[in-house]
Amino acid sequence: MSENPESKWFGEKPVEAEDKTGMVHGVFSNVADKYDIMNDLMSGGIHRLWKDRFIRMIRPRQGLRYLDVAGGTGDIAFRIRQKIGKKADITLCDLTENMLRVGRDRAINKGWINDFDWITGNAETLPFEDNSFDVYTIAFGLRNVTRIDNALKEAYRVLKPGGRFFCLEFSKVRNPLLSKGYDVYSSFVIPKIGKVVAGDRDSYQYLIESIRKHPGQRELQQRLQRAGFKNATFSNLSAGIACIHSGLKV
Ligand SMILES: C[S@@+](CC[C@H](N)C(=O)[O-])C[C@H]1O[C@@H](n2cnc3c(N)ncnc32)[C@H](O)[C@@H]1O
């Protein structure tokens, strides 16, 4: 398996690797203001249950440093903060300022604005020192990264020895009947909702295509191992529509 095969694809369109990150940035700049409502509409609220499950697997506790990469509007960071309380040490890092702006507004509404570090940055070249964090999370972010293998190596670099990696992402549905139904729903319904609610069919078309292009469970597990993670494993959610991968830096 060659490294970073996804770098030449923007959804299902072939692109030059050096153009892709800018295109992804454009998508999330456009959808930021409608991102949260669209998540609920597209998934019927199920993304909340997946994120709750993700947090239960992480088992957040006080005294550890958390880094939420592709943290966007804050769903994962807020859940960690909710579990730990005011003493939580959480950094969000995201490529797109507009997504972080929406996240900061949400944090203000919760009275939590000073409880997080908000950093603009790329998962492939994280602006943090080696061995800095105890827990690295990335939720629905990895499939948008131009070079996934580079991002996994960066995750490994910034984690402390003993640090844990957790990724929540769409994955491959194994049941053929469910897979067909899911395909029809995502191909025809989601871009239409995107057009009506967010006035942006193309961005939601990309988001659906990026799900289809994202590596399946086993491939991502192998790529985690190749990046150096031990105990790389995965757990399917909703028959594989989504999946949690985890790994350990020793
Ligand atoms: C689908 S949103 C997920 C947001 C949030 N984690 C959640 O679960 O709701 C994907 C996020 O990934 C960010 N992103 C895309 N490529 C990135 C990269 N190379 N580095 C960091 N963040 C990236 C986008 O800006 C966007 O905020």
Side-chain angles (χ1 to χ4, degrees):
M1 197 198 324
S2 64
E3 286 206 341
N4 301 313
E6 59 282 337
S7 64
K8 297 194 173 67
W9 295 94
F10 176 73
E12 287 167 355
K13 291 181 202 62
V15 290
E16 296 300 326
E18 54 270 26
D19 296 335
K20 178 170 168 177
T21 310
M23 294 166 85
V24 169
H25 181 269
V27 164
F28 287 101
S29 298
N30 291 343
V31 304
D33 288 315
K34 290 278 164 44
Y35 176 78
D36 293 309
I37 174 95
M38 279 296 292
N39 263 354
D40 279 335
L41 285 173
M42 290 185 307
S43 74
I46 289 172
H47 76 103
R48 292 171 184 254
L49 304 179
W50 292 338
K51 287 170 177 166
D52 290 346
R53 170 85 186 279
F54 189 53
I55 298 300
R56 285 199 298 278
M57 282 189 71
I58 295 166
R59 283 183 277 115
R61 61 187 166 85
Q62 202 180 305
L64 301 183
R65 288 195 77 199
Y66 291 83
L67 173 64
D68 185 33
V69 174
T73 61
D75 270 4
I76 299 305
F78 294 165
R79 279 169 170 78
I80 294 172
R81 164 66 178 78
Q82 180 81 38
K83 285 275 176 209
I84 297 179
K86 207 170 167 35
K87 293 203 167 141
D89 180 345
I90 308 169
T91 301
L92 290 93
C93 176
D94 197 285
L95 184 70
T96 313
E97 306 78 19
N98 273 359
M99 292 290 282
L100 290 177
R101 174 184 49 77
V102 174
R104 271 195 295 266
D105 287 347
R106 291 176 75 197
I108 289 170
N109 290 339
K110 290 172 180 287
W112 288 354
I113 186 60
N114 293 321
D115 294 0
F116 306 93
D117 287 328
W118 306 84
I119 308 286
T120 306
N122 189 334
E124 293 179 41
T125 50
L126 290 172
F128 308 110
E129 291 185 1
D130 299 358
N131 308 319
S132 304
F133 295 93
D134 298 285
V135 179
Y136 173 111
T137 54
I138 183 164
F140 302 112
L142 197 61
R143 74 176 194 284
N144 299 294
V145 171
T146 300
R147 298 172 191 83
I148 288 177
D149 294 299
N150 293 17
L152 296 178
K153 284 180 205 158
E154 274 294 88
Y156 193 87
R157 180 184 69 76
V158 300
L159 276 170
K160 297 176 186 171
R164 295 174 300 146
F165 168 96
F166 293 94
C167 169
L168 169 61
E169 189 50 272
F170 290 104
S171 201
K172 299 281 181 255
V173 181
R174 293 291 157 211
N175 177 312
L177 203 64
L178 183 63
S179 169
K180 185 84 199 144
Y182 175 62
D183 221 37
V184 170
Y185 172 74
S186 56
S187 302
F188 296 105
V189 181
I190 290 181
K192 282 209 177 77
I193 304 180
K195 185 173 175 197
V196 174
V197 179
D200 184 355
R201 191 180 205 290
D202 290 352
S203 291
Y204 285 90
Q205 183 68 34
Y206 157 74
L207 290 175
I208 293 311
E209 291 179 6
S210 67
I211 292 173
R212 287 199 207 108
K213 277 284 184 194
H214 190 62
Q217 287 85 339
R218 295 267 171 226
E219 181 185 330
L220 189 54
Q221 180 186 31
Q222 285 164 8
R223 291 171 76 173
L224 271 173
Q225 288 163 341
R226 201 164 64 184
F229 287 102
K230 303 293 177 213
N231 300 351
T233 184
F234 65 85
S235 176
N236 281 328
L237 306 175
S238 305
I241 293 178
C243 185
I244 297 172
H245 280 78
S246 61
L248 178 72
K249 173 169 173 175
V250 290

